[in-house]
Amino acid sequence: MYRFLLTPRWIALNLLVILLIPVMIKLGFWQYHRYEGKVERNDRLSANRDHAPVPLTDLFAVDRDLPSADQWRQATATGVYDTTHEVLVRQRTNDNVIGFYVVTPLVLPDNTALLVNRGWVRSTDDAAARPDVPPAPSGQVTVVVRARPTETYKRSGIHDRDGLPAGQVMRIESAKLGERMPGYRLYGGYGQLVDETPKPAKQATLLGTPDPEDIGLNLAYAVQWWLFVVGMLFMWYKIVRREAAELEAELATLDAENAGDTGDAAAAEPKAETAPVAQGT
């Protein structure tokens, strides 16, 4: 009855179903892992943003990226800004407005330095022109920063670009920026400025902590992909059963027609005449 499954049309359909099932299952797990990642980031953000500031070296280390568990925690340090190696990070938005992050190394007494994101400034009409950047405080300054990991391409998705204006970069990548800043050892990651003492007369727009990410969509997408698998198998089963039922009905009709033809032929066949029996005289 089900030999029709071995016909070319059905073989193609069966192969398509077999190929789609693992793809859909994998897409469901991909969305589920994204959901788990967002849950972890939201929990870490909620747990770390209210911690009291700790000394810089409790979170950061030279030539080592910031551990994930320490993201968004606050650290404090005292040093002097090195404005000669200040860089502007391109194409950063604030309230949907394009601008720059202002990143300035803070050099500590032990000749180590931390990249400090001092905030955001609006770009000018000419992307190659230097925007109006509030100067960093001169002399000794004490900062409170939020710990952030270095921005690699894999982590941020931001490509490097050649031919940028002097003093502009695409990412806050401590290892690469450290190559441009000889004379001191650079901590991995960077600090997002929260407060500084003494306060400057004018300051770049400070960045806040992000809102928790929406996690519902990714979980819904995961369940949706898995439901697609169930739905596709159900539809495949229904189509197979319908095809089998139609074939069974056709065979029954043919059997009935064959039986009818046989009966008609039998009825139409002439009966042999019986010869009369001769009677003796």
Side-chain angles (χ1 to χ4, degrees), residues 32-258:
Y32 185 74
H33 292 325
R34 292 193 65 193
Y35 160 78
E36 289 183 317
K38 287 184 178 182
V39 169
E40 180 186 356
R41 286 192 292 274
N42 288 349
D43 291 345
R44 183 169 59 240
L45 174 62
S46 299
N48 288 352
R49 64 183 172 186
D50 295 328
H51 274 292
V54 298
L56 179 73
T57 52
D58 285 4
L59 304 181
F60 294 91
V62 173
D63 298 328
R64 185 208 70 187
D65 195 13
L66 182 76
S68 297
D70 292 331
Q71 290 186 39
W72 300 110
R73 290 190 63 184
Q74 295 185 81
T76 184
T78 300
V80 177
Y81 280 122
D82 174 15
T83 55
T84 60
H85 290 106
E86 183 174 87
V87 295
L88 300 178
V89 188
R90 293 171 60 92
Q91 297 181 352
R92 300 306 172 105
T93 59
N94 183 51
D95 290 335
N96 296 320
V97 178
I98 297 292
F100 298 86
Y101 286 164
V102 182
V103 176
T104 313
L106 181 73
V107 184
L108 281 62
D110 62 355
N111 207 38
T112 59
L114 174 71
L115 296 173
V116 176
N117 182 354
R118 297 196 294 115
W120 176 90
V121 294
R122 183 188 297 268
S123 62
T124 64
D125 294 335
D126 182 2
R130 182 178 174 82
D132 181 21
V133 178
S138 59
Q140 184 170 284
V141 60
T142 298
V143 300
V144 177
V145 297
R146 289 199 182 275
R148 303 294 295 125
T150 191
E151 291 183 343
T152 61
Y153 166 70
K154 182 177 181 181
R155 180 176 287 155
S156 67
I158 301 173
H159 289 274
D160 278 325
R161 287 178 52 185
D162 296 327
L164 295 179
Q168 294 188 17
V169 297
M170 297 301 299
R171 302 192 300 263
I172 311 175
E173 190 167 359
S174 52
K176 288 191 174 182
L177 291 177
E179 297 171 359
R180 305 168 55 161
M181 302 173 184
Y184 41 75
R185 297 173 300 146
L186 202 62
Y187 285 102
Y190 69 95
Q192 179 178 301
L193 186 64
V194 176
D195 194 14
E196 58 189 344
T197 306
K199 296 184 181 298
K202 186 179 180 182
Q203 195 171 42
T205 302
L206 296 179
L207 304 171
T209 55
D211 294 326
E213 293 187 81
D214 181 16
I215 60 175
L217 279 178
N218 294 108
L219 183 59
Y221 289 150
V223 174
Q224 185 180 61
W225 281 115
W226 294 331
L227 287 177
F228 282 161
V229 174
V230 176
M232 185 172 61
L233 289 173
F234 178 75
M235 289 301 298
W236 177 87
Y237 172 77
K238 293 288 288 183
I239 294 171
V240 169
R241 291 292 301 150
R242 184 178 64 187
E243 184 87 1
E246 290 176 354
L247 286 175
E248 187 176 1
E250 290 178 5
L251 290 175
T253 301
L254 289 174
D255 289 342
E257 291 177 353
N258 289 336

